């Protein structure tokens, strides 16, 4: 878990990220994770990572630094071209048989989830049957047959439920023509997992599970682990900062499975923006002046009660919409607009301070919560500022080592460039 934020105006973009990382299913927390990096050593481009810190079994930090090495001093005219090149690098370097293995890990988790849901459903139905049965009037054979029937019904019900859920999602055009190829490639392995996990089921249910597995790729959905990627900064011809983000699932059959990317652009019509990532509830409450869950509960409560002047569904919906509009109008007038007006004219240093403060606010709120998320945001906050002229500037950055004792680190970071400058300086002195 994490909290990250981008604060942008026409002059600059500030990025901030906490350092908390959760491992072992939430049983262990560390405050040492790096989530904010330079994407280029030479140009004003940064990248942040959230959610899953691994991508197809590899640390995302390693992937980013390998891409940065490949990128070198190369640059692109627009930020979108940096994004496309990064996606291309991911597809070209992770398109292998390991993609099928990674998919099978997800398939195994999906089938285990199906098995658990089937057992829960069957146990509930069997318990209801036993509680409502006539006892001695039924023979043992009849009861045994009824329980088998319930188990069979539970299998079909749960599988059909998940099948219909995935069918309802929109198609992913990058994979929509690969359904049969996906199923034929993994059929044998899926059937084996079904047999060892759920047991013997009829052919129609096996086919539905295979369809579900294919739809994990061929449909757009938010199920399963994701790696959030944010790339922000300036292309060579970008005069205002931009930001692109999406969630990556993995590379399968040569194609990166990801959400549709979102592009945020600063221009004369949109002079400032604040964009939180991952755990955004505290920042959202600060920005809007009202907790979004509270607002939802208020609107849901209206539905439960009929009033004298409003006692039908159409009227209730109208009342909900009117109250929501009043809340939104008040929120924008009293909270959002004044904040954005300040961000719009804020100097560069203030943008960095805003970004750090908003991440720190989430961290502080989590510490007070004393729940499962109390340690999910925290640790040192890395803060960077990106401008067109000055490039990527670290305002705050943690190191796991003492920089003063590791001068070679600084030299190696700009290794080729440092050597060229050193040789140029020596030539200049000899003239």
């Amino acid at each position: 878990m994490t909290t990250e934020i981008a604060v942008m105006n026409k002059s600059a973009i500030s990025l901030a990220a906490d350092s908390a990382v959760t491992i072992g299913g939430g049983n262990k927390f560390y405050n040492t994770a790096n989530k904010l990096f330079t994407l280029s050593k030479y140009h004003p481009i940064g990248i942040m990572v959230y959610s899953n810190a691994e991508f197809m079994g590899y640390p995302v930090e390693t992937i980013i630094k390998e891409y940065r090495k490949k990128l070198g001093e190369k640059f692109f005219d627009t930020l979108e071209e940096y994004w496309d090149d990064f996606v291309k690098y991911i597809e070209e370097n992770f398109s292998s048989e390991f993609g099928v293995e990674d998919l099978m890990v997800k398939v195994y988790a999906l089938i285990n989830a199906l098995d658990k849901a089937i057992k829960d459903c069957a146990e509930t139905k069997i318990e209801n049957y036993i509680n409502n049965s006539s006892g001695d009037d039924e023979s043992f054979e009849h009861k045994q047959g009824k329980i088998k029937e319930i188990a069979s019904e539970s299998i079909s019900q749960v599988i059909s439920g998940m099948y219909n859920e995935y069918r309802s999602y929109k198609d992913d055009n990058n994979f929509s023509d690969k359904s049969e190829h996906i199923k034929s490639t993994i059929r044998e392995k899926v059937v084996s997992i079904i047999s060892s996990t759920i047991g013997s089921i009829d052919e129609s249910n096996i086919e539905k599970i295979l369809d579900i597995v294919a739809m994990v790729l061929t449909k757009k959905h938010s199920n399963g682990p994701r790696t959030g990627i944010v790339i922000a900064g300036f292309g060579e011809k970008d005069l205002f900062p931009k930001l692109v983000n999406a969630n990556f699932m993995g590379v399968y059959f040569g194609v990166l499975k990801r959400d549709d990317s979102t592009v945020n652009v600063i221009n004369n019509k949109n002079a400032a923006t604040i964009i939180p990532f991952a755990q955004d509830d505290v920042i959202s409450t600060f920005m809007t002046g009202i907790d979004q869950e509270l607002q939802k509960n208020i609107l849901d409560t209206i539905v439960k009660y009929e009033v004298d002047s409003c006692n039908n569904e159409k009227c209730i919906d109208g009342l909900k919409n009117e109250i929501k509009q009043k809340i939104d109008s008040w929120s924008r007038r009293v909270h959002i607009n004044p904040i954005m007006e300040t961000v719009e004219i804020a100097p560069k240093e203030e943008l960095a301070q805003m970004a750090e403060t908003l991440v720190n606010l989430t961290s502080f709120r989590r510490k007070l919560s004393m729940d499962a998320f109390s340690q999910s945001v925290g640790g040192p906050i890395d803060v960077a500022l990106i401008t067109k002229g000055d490039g990527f500037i670290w305002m705050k950055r943690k190191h796991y080592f003492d920089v003063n004792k590791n001068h070679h680190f600084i030299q190696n970071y700009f290794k080729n460039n440092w050597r060229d400058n050193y040789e140029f300086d020596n030539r200049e002195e000899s003239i």
Side-chain angles (χ1 to χ4, degrees):
M1 303 295 285
T2 188
T3 289
E4 298 174 355
I5 194 165
V7 183
M8 305 166 64
N9 65 15
K10 289 183 178 181
S11 299
I13 175 170
S14 181
L15 305 174
D18 75 315
S19 301
V21 61
T22 308
I23 62 174
N27 295 319
K28 189 70 175 177
F29 300 88
Y30 291 105
N31 287 322
T32 56
N34 292 317
K35 306 173 187 178
L36 173 57
F37 310 90
T38 55
L39 191 63
S40 168
K41 294 182 179 182
Y42 308 97
H43 302 286
I45 302 292
I47 183 169
M48 291 194 300
V49 181
Y50 59 93
S51 295
N52 197 344
E54 287 194 349
F55 179 79
M56 300 189 72
Y58 297 95
V60 181
E61 179 176 352
T62 301
I63 295 172
I64 290 170
K65 291 179 178 178
E66 286 299 304
Y67 171 77
R68 189 170 65 193
K69 187 192 302 181
K70 170 188 171 293
L71 185 65
E73 297 186 44
K74 183 180 178 181
F75 62 86
F76 296 99
D77 288 341
T78 65
L79 183 80
E80 292 89 339
E81 290 176 273
Y82 280 98
W83 175 269
D84 292 341
D85 191 63
F86 183 72
V87 168
K88 182 181 177 183
Y89 171 81
I90 294 290
E91 289 182 332
E92 288 180 347
N93 289 273
F94 295 90
S95 179
S96 65
E97 284 301 313
F98 182 65
V100 175
E101 293 177 19
D102 185 76
L103 177 60
M104 291 312 301
V105 172
K106 293 178 171 60
V107 169
Y108 186 75
L110 184 148
I111 293 175
N112 270 292
L114 270 175
D115 182 54
K116 183 179 184 305
I118 290 168
K119 288 175 179 175
D120 290 344
C121 178
E123 285 176 7
T124 300
K125 287 187 173 185
I126 291 170
E127 185 177 348
N128 290 336
Y129 164 69
I130 291 173
N131 291 337
N132 296 320
S133 65
S134 55
D136 296 338
D137 294 339
E138 297 180 35
S139 66
F140 174 78
E141 289 77 10
H142 180 270
K143 288 182 179 179
Q144 191 176 42
K146 184 64 177 176
I147 289 173
K148 287 182 179 179
E149 182 184 328
I150 290 173
S152 179
E153 288 175 357
S154 299
I155 291 171
S156 296
Q157 179 182 329
V158 171
I159 293 173
S160 295
M162 184 176 286
Y163 175 83
N164 291 332
E165 177 190 342
Y166 274 91
R167 279 285 300 272
S168 68
Y169 298 136
K170 293 181 179 179
D171 290 335
D172 187 332
N173 293 330
N174 292 324
F175 289 89
S176 54
D177 61 342
K178 295 179 171 61
S179 181
E180 293 305 317
H181 177 60
I182 293 167
K183 288 193 287 184
S184 63
T185 301
I186 63 177
R187 173 181 291 273
E188 187 176 332
K189 293 180 180 179
V190 171
V191 171
S192 176
I193 295 172
I194 292 171
S195 177
S196 61
T197 305
I198 300 175
S200 178
I201 60 176
D202 61 53
E203 191 65 29
S204 63
N205 282 321
I206 290 176
E207 288 302 318
K208 279 188 177 180
I209 292 177
L210 278 163
D211 285 335
I212 293 169
V213 170
M215 286 189 286
V216 167
L217 297 183
T218 62
K219 295 288 186 175
K220 294 180 179 179
H221 58 88
S222 58
N223 302 330
R226 305 295 173 98
T227 298
I229 299 291
V230 179
I231 294 179
F234 297 80
E236 189 69 13
K237 294 184 178 180
D238 292 330
L239 297 180
F240 296 137
K242 295 178 180 177
L243 181 149
V244 185
N245 75 281
N247 289 299
F248 292 2
M249 179 189 289
V251 179
Y252 308 104
F253 306 98
V255 180
L256 175 63
K257 176 68 177 176
R258 59 188 172 103
D259 296 339
D260 293 334
S261 56
T262 301
V263 182
N264 290 273
V265 180
I266 293 296
N267 51 41
N268 289 322
K269 291 183 179 179
N270 179 40
T273 189
I274 296 175
I275 312 167
F277 301 97
Q279 294 188 43
D280 61 357
D281 55 320
V282 176
I283 296 172
S284 176
T285 300
F286 171 81
M287 291 292 298
T288 62
I290 183 170
D291 185 280
Q292 299 305 299
E293 192 65 28
L294 174 61
Q295 177 175 309
K296 180 178 180 299
N297 288 335
I298 291 172
L299 298 176
D300 288 345
T301 302
I302 294 170
V303 181
K304 295 181 180 180
Y305 298 94
E306 294 182 356
V307 294
D308 293 339
S309 59
C310 191
N311 54 12
N312 60 69
E313 185 176 345
K314 184 177 180 181
C315 182
I316 292 292
D317 287 341
L319 179 60
K320 281 179 61 180
N321 290 334
E322 184 176 348
I323 290 175
K324 187 178 187 307
Q325 288 173 8
K326 288 185 180 296
I327 292 174
D328 290 344
S329 176
W330 168 84
S331 174
R332 185 158 294 279
R333 185 181 72 256
V334 178
H335 287 269
I336 298 174
N337 287 347
I339 292 172
M340 297 315 299
E341 287 168 5
T342 301
V343 173
E344 185 176 333
I345 60 173
K348 298 186 289 290
E349 300 88 337
E350 288 294 322
L351 293 185
Q353 185 177 354
M354 287 180 194
E356 180 184 5
T357 300
L358 289 172
V359 173
N360 198 39
L361 185 64
T362 305
S363 175
F364 181 66
R365 177 66 184 86
R366 289 290 176 265
K367 287 178 182 177
L368 299 178
S369 63
M370 296 184 68
D371 58 18
F373 300 102
S374 62
Q375 298 184 70
S376 60
V377 179
I381 299 172
D382 290 331
V383 185
L385 190 68
I386 307 173
T387 63
K388 181 71 173 176
D390 298 331
F392 189 106
I393 303 296
W394 285 107
M395 304 298 284
K396 285 192 175 182
R397 189 189 187 192
K398 65 181 177 297
H399 287 287
Y400 63 90
F401 56 86
D402 186 346
V403 177
N404 293 323
K405 296 177 181 177
N406 293 273
H407 295 293
H408 64 281
F409 169 79
I410 304 299
Q411 294 172 354
N412 287 336
Y413 186 83
F414 287 105
K415 189 172 183 180
N416 295 329
N417 198 47
W418 169 80
R419 184 182 295 112
D420 293 343
N421 289 339
Y422 177 78
E423 291 173 356
F424 177 83
D425 290 342
N426 280 350
R427 287 196 303 270
E428 191 176 54
E429 288 176 4
S430 64
I431 293 173

